[in-house]
Amino acid sequence: MVREIRPLADHEFEAFVRLAVNAYPAYTIRTDEERQRMAGRLLEESRDPTQIFYGLLEENVLLGGMKHLDFTMNLHGTQTLVAGIAEVAVDLLRKKEHVARDLVLFFLEHARANGAALALLYPFRPDFYKQMGFGYGTKINEYRVSPANFPKGPSKRQVVWTSPTDAALLLRCYQRYQARTHGVIQRSEAEFTRLLAHPEKRVVAYRDAGAIKGYLVFSFRRHDQGNFLINDLHVDELVYETREALSQLLTFLQSQADQVRAVVIRTQEEAFHHLLLDPRNGSELLIPSVYHPSNVQGVGLMYRVLDTRGIFEQLREHSFGGVNCRVKITLVDSFFPSNAGSLVVQFAEGRPTLSEDERHDVEIRLEVAEFSSLLLGVVNFQSLYRYHLADISDPGYLETINRLFYTPEKPICLTAF
């Protein structure tokens, strides 16, 4: 039977919602009214040209669907088009019939044809998407600590409540942060307007000379249903431009110790535990020999290179470690063969130029998933080589290749999709 993948028509969103609710039991949608409401919300999202819902149909029967998103991301200092995929759902009756495979392949081909050299997603199962060539991104760390363990600075005088009129100021703060932070995705003013209108989210900001230079998004959650006085403060987002902004925002958290049992904060900053007076999570367990549990780590966002030539062309102004070297990169990509093969890149003071000359100083060979993580700076080459996840023609170049792809900061992503 012939399969067709195309954008969903307006009248097909209810069918997609029925399919998605069965595919994801976590959806707490039970009634026809709730399904219609969700279908209306998704239909409204689809009016945004950067968010397109696709369906896979067989004889006009919807077997699966997904959402494509276009983002602009800071990739090593270059504002780059990247493609996101979300809401991948398959009819329960048609699982194990390659519906998800066909959807993802269409997504990769469509995104590449439209100029995206990199794709990203949040996996329902990392191993499922690893087999499709997606590599791991930066881990997230969840800390659960007493407010008293945050450093108390000399002041929190410039930390103030925000109002709906502050959306533009918050956006400008975020834009400055995004412009200097590898991995961060651009946002719109409308996203901050929605955030400020959210009934459960609170937003405080550090103001300096009329500008917002940092902000904190948080909510309260009751810890014990039997005692309404015990609450946890959950930090959803912490953005700061200066040391002073960070200090005052953390001082704000520290000052909540009288009414907050624990602050739950998620961060991709690896060194975050250094600023806590006591990073322990309250567990009395020890990890041998004497290591105190501090935080839970999780694997989430995954990246995939769609066009190896294209991504080096987009990064032509980025300096890869200041290295001078001709490198042959041989990529194994069985899921998306048009991206597989070899190319020679001439790095001059770190800046890449694609070369048609086959001569090279060293060759590296690896799967696209590992290459994607390497290119983003999530993992270093020496680790991949040590784990037999990458090969090199001359081990004498190990340090050079490691320096070539090294980044001082791993990619950060604050955008859920």
Side-chain angles (χ1 to χ4, degrees):
M1 295 184 183
V2 177
R3 288 181 170 181
E4 176 190 17
I5 299 176
R6 57 165 173 76
L8 289 176
D10 289 2
H11 69 275
E12 292 171 323
F13 275 82
E14 286 194 35
F16 176 70
V17 167
R18 284 194 296 272
L19 186 151
V21 167
N22 284 327
Y24 294 100
Y27 279 131
T28 57
I29 294 175
R30 300 289 180 265
T31 68
D32 286 340
E33 184 181 355
E34 289 174 330
R35 281 190 285 271
Q36 289 170 4
R37 222 171 14 243
M38 182 177 177
R41 178 176 61 79
L42 297 183
L43 179 59
E44 186 62 30
E45 287 181 16
S46 73
R47 304 303 187 208
D48 182 343
T50 67
Q51 301 185 46
I52 301 177
F53 287 83
Y54 287 87
L56 184 151
L57 298 95
E58 193 175 87
E59 295 187 338
N60 289 321
V61 176
L62 186 66
L63 306 187
M66 59 183 167
K67 178 166 71 170
H68 288 204
L69 304 104
D70 288 335
F71 297 117
T72 300
M73 189 184 90
N74 180 330
L75 179 62
H76 296 303
T78 299
Q79 299 297 333
T80 306
L81 172 67
V82 297
I85 180 173
E87 307 280 357
V88 179
V90 177
D91 188 329
L92 289 179
L93 295 175
R94 305 304 294 267
K95 293 179 76 171
K96 305 300 182 183
E97 296 181 21
H98 304 303
V99 175
R101 181 204 63 184
D102 290 353
L103 286 167
V104 174
L105 268 175
F106 176 88
F107 162 71
L108 299 180
E109 292 165 354
H110 183 268
R112 176 169 166 161
N114 282 277
L118 187 73
L120 59 166
L121 58 77
Y122 287 100
F124 80 101
R125 267 181 46 191
D127 61 321
F128 181 82
Y129 285 107
K130 182 82 180 295
Q131 293 174 2
M132 294 183 177
F134 286 82
Y136 301 128
T138 306
K139 283 185 176 182
I140 201 162
N141 307 286
E142 181 181 89
Y143 292 88
R144 181 180 295 269
V145 295
S146 166
N149 287 321
F150 285 89
K152 182 180 180 180
S155 173
K156 57 180 173 65
R157 193 168 299 166
Q158 291 168 265
V159 176
V160 297
W161 288 108
T162 57
S163 71
T165 61
D166 289 320
L169 287 175
L170 286 167
L171 172 64
R172 285 197 282 275
C173 172
Y174 181 86
Q175 286 174 329
R176 292 188 294 270
Y177 170 78
Q178 190 273 342
R180 63 177 174 79
T181 308
H182 171 45
V184 178
I185 289 171
Q186 288 184 7
R187 288 181 181 169
S188 66
E189 186 173 334
E191 291 176 84
F192 283 98
T193 299
R194 288 194 294 270
L195 170 64
L196 292 169
H198 196 289
E200 295 179 5
K201 305 291 185 187
R202 278 93 165 166
V203 184
V204 295
Y206 170 84
R207 286 184 182 267
D208 182 26
I212 288 177
K213 295 294 185 69
Y215 65 86
L216 185 71
V217 183
F218 66 96
S219 58
F220 290 109
R221 296 187 193 175
R222 188 175 296 177
H223 183 81
D224 184 344
Q225 295 297 323
N227 187 339
F228 68 90
L229 296 175
I230 300 177
N231 291 277
D232 292 339
L233 189 157
H234 285 246
V235 175
D236 297 313
E237 188 165 302
L238 171 61
V239 168
Y240 57 93
E241 296 184 66
T242 65
R243 296 172 66 203
E244 182 61 25
L246 176 62
S247 174
Q248 291 207 23
L249 290 168
L250 295 180
T251 301
F252 163 78
L253 291 177
Q254 194 274 344
S255 69
Q256 308 305 314
D258 59 338
Q259 285 187 298
V260 169
R261 173 173 174 160
V263 172
V264 180
I265 184 167
R266 300 175 189 92
T267 177
Q268 291 166 300
E269 295 187 23
E270 292 187 332
F272 189 80
H273 61 287
H274 288 276
L275 66 78
L276 298 171
L277 302 180
D278 185 349
R280 292 178 297 170
N281 63 5
S283 168
E284 296 181 354
L285 300 174
L286 281 180
I287 301 169
S289 57
V290 184
Y291 289 85
H292 301 270
S294 59
N295 60 282
V296 176
Q297 284 191 320
V299 173
L301 191 67
M302 300 179 77
Y303 300 93
R304 193 197 204 285
V305 172
L306 309 174
D307 182 353
T308 311
R309 285 185 168 272
I311 209 158
F312 279 114
E313 288 169 353
Q314 291 174 8
L315 292 174
R316 58 187 175 275
E317 297 302 321
H318 171 63
S319 175
F320 285 82
V323 169
N324 294 298
C325 191
R326 290 179 64 89
V327 183
K328 183 177 183 180
I329 300 171
T330 299
L331 211 58
V332 179
D333 195 341
S334 56
F335 187 77
F336 194 42
S338 61
N339 188 48
S342 300
L343 74 162
V344 175
V345 184
Q346 168 72 58
F347 294 95
E349 308 240 339
R351 286 181 169 75
T353 304
L354 297 175
S355 174
E356 299 304 322
D357 188 340
E358 285 294 313
R359 290 176 300 169
H360 54 275
D361 300 316
V362 62
E363 178 183 5
I364 61 172
R365 179 184 177 87
L366 66 173
E367 297 270 354
V368 65
E370 280 68 41
F371 176 71
S372 302
S373 298
L374 177 69
L375 184 78
L376 269 289
V378 178
V379 65
N380 63 58
F381 187 81
Q382 285 183 325
S383 294
L384 293 176
Y385 179 75
R386 185 165 59 247
Y387 299 154
H388 283 263
L389 295 172
D391 287 315
I392 189 167
S393 60
D394 182 353
Y397 276 89
L398 260 175
E399 185 180 341
T400 300
I401 298 299
N402 202 63
R403 191 166 69 253
L404 183 74
F405 289 105
Y406 171 78
T407 58
E409 299 287 346
K410 294 181 180 179
I412 300 292
C413 184
L414 304 180
T415 300
F417 57 90

